[in-house]
Amino acid sequence: MRPVDPTTLGVPDDARQVLDTLWRHGHAAYAVGGGVRDQLIGRAAHDVDIATDATPDRLLTLFPDGHLLGVYGTVDIDGIQVTTFRRDHRYADHRRPDEVTWSLDLAEDLARRDFTINALAWGRAAGETGPPHLVDPTGGLEDLRSGVLRAVGDPDARFDEDVLRILRGARFAATLDLEVDPPTLAAMTRHGGDVAYLSTERIGQELHRMLDLPRPSDAFRLLMAIGALAVALPEVADQRGVTQAKIPGDDLFDHSMRTMDAAAAMPERSPELVMAGLLHDIGKPATAAGGRYLGHAEVGARMAREALRRLHTPTPVVARTERLIAHHMFQYRSSWTDAAVRRFLRRTGADLVDDLLRLRQADNTGSGVPADATGVVELRERIRGQLAAGVPLELGALAVDGRDLLEATGRPAGPWVGVLLERLLGSVVNDPERNRRDVLLGDVRRWAAAPGSPVPGMAAPHQGGPDSLAP
Ligand code: ATP
Ligand code: MG
């Protein structure tokens, strides 16, 4: 049982003014939906939606500042959405009603809502006086009390009308820690594959909200169980049954769930860290051979980019997730030299390395070993030391630039400039003492004149020799 007390219900002042105006003019008006639900369970309600028997035209007369939103007659009044009671008809596309008609009946409006916990209203009927009160024709209050997610009416019919309700249901169950009522769960399972009717963008919106949860696996395991994940994110569903020698009884899917949850539990969590936790091993099924997964990080990084683009993940988040996955297989040893630590930093990028180490900690947790195993703490300390010393890691930190190279060689610009700058950077990453103009320009002149030099017109093409730049 949860503490659910309808006598504490209310709405913020601006919403109350809208309700008061409607009541004063003889209309029925109620706060409905997620705002009422969240308040009943003591969560901050992030929006108040109002339902009323007043038609959109009437609303625009009563509230001259209001404006129409979308096609279903919702009127926005200073950020508060007011919608006329309605009845929905025929859902040919499994998503949107083909037609809606206005209604004077609150019960009819609540009957078209998805779950009982979302079919609660608080307000007054037309002409009614006395204190506003809760209206609950579907037993939503009792379901909230006992922690049950139940579809309004016949669950098969409701998911058939609008398949988005399945993803919403998984999200509500995970967010509010609800058990799905068995008939509702059975219908979700029968219709799980219908998620294919949704646009990838809509699927992405729901999945992103699930990834934001404190323990996203609650949602993803449910999606898996009802067969919706195989459509929404087949790359992850394909991990089911791929064996792992990490935690007894766990397969690769379980490992990904644990890794994602560990990433989500970190104080420094970010969307890309959680996504990388979920997706870091998606390259494994495709690369599995003889108990090994050669190249799975690179394959997985590409697959993650495609999956996240499909789900309309913001581009910078896609890019960082892809890089995290591509680099997640590093094998640190205490025997690494400082130069090896710097090469690692240059390869992964100083901007990514903190998240990469966090990903490794989450991966460790997901593998049943202590988060700080595999030398993470030591490597982090050594990286801090290098960064604090201000070691050069990027071309911009070199003591020379492209212009200096043109002057020193007297040759026209070309791709060779980039080639030599990268080579110079490699040399100063190995030995930061060398990052001096005279030393680096000496290198450039020597390399330019060497046999096989990439600098055009400086030396006869020639293969070999100890200083050769030929590949
Ligand atoms: P949250 O805003 O926290 O995601 P919510 O329940 O408020 O949850 P909204 O999308 O804001 O969700 O919708 C408001 C209300 O509209 C819901 O509480 C529900 O009553 C109804 N509703 C929304 N989407 C659907 C749907 N696809 N099918 C049936 N009813 C819906
Ligand atoms: Mg809402």
Side-chain angles (χ1 to χ4, degrees), residues 345 350 353-354 380-391 393:
L345 262 175
V353 81
D354 285 332
R380 183 177 286 131
E381 277 310 305
R382 293 186 67 185
I383 287 169
R384 283 219 179 102
Q386 292 299 320
L387 292 176
V391 295
L393 295 168

Side-chain angles (χ1 to χ4, degrees), residues 64 73 172 213 250 372 402 419 454:
F172 291 128
L213 292 172
D250 268 18
D372 293 339
V419 173

Side-chain angles (χ1 to χ4, degrees), residues 32-35 37-38 46-47 49 88 91 95 110 112-115 117-120 158 162 164-165 168 171-172 202 206 209:
V32 286
R37 175 198 70 216
D38 290 345
H46 54 84
D47 51 10
D49 296 319
D88 299 339
Y91 291 70
R95 174 64 194 105
L110 294 178
R112 70 169 177 88
R113 293 174 184 269
D114 47 4
F115 298 101
I117 58 166
N118 291 342
L120 293 157
R158 309 316 308 285
D162 179 1
L164 180 66
R165 292 171 185 157
R168 284 172 55 88
R171 172 162 60 81
F172 291 128
R202 205 70 188 74
E206 286 294 332
R209 292 187 70 174

Side-chain angles (χ1 to χ4, degrees), residues 176-197:
L176 306 174
D177 193 20
L178 306 173
E179 287 287 331
V180 186
D181 188 49
T184 296
L185 183 62
M188 283 170 94
T189 308
R190 281 189 287 274
H191 292 278
D194 294 350
V195 165
Y197 289 120

Side-chain angles (χ1 to χ4, degrees), residues 28-109:
Y30 298 85
V32 286
V36 179
R37 175 198 70 216
D38 290 345
Q39 221 182 67
L40 282 168
I41 52 176
R43 289 184 174 234
H46 54 84
D47 51 10
V48 180
D49 296 319
I50 291 175
T52 177
D53 62 3
T55 60
D57 282 350
R58 174 78 173 143
L59 287 168
L60 291 172
T61 310
L62 288 175
F63 302 95
D65 291 344
H67 57 272
L68 274 173
L69 290 178
V71 293
Y72 296 125
T74 295
V75 174
D76 180 296
I77 299 165
D78 294 331
I80 295 160
Q81 304 204 351
V82 186
T83 308
T84 310
F85 296 153
R86 64 183 225 213
R87 208 174 321 155
D88 299 339
H89 305 271
R90 288 192 309 277
Y91 291 70
D93 66 353
H94 301 276
R95 174 64 194 105
R96 295 270 180 201
D98 300 343
E99 192 192 334
V100 306
T101 42
W102 309 139
S103 163
L104 292 176
D105 186 1
L106 171 68
E108 219 166 29
D109 185 85

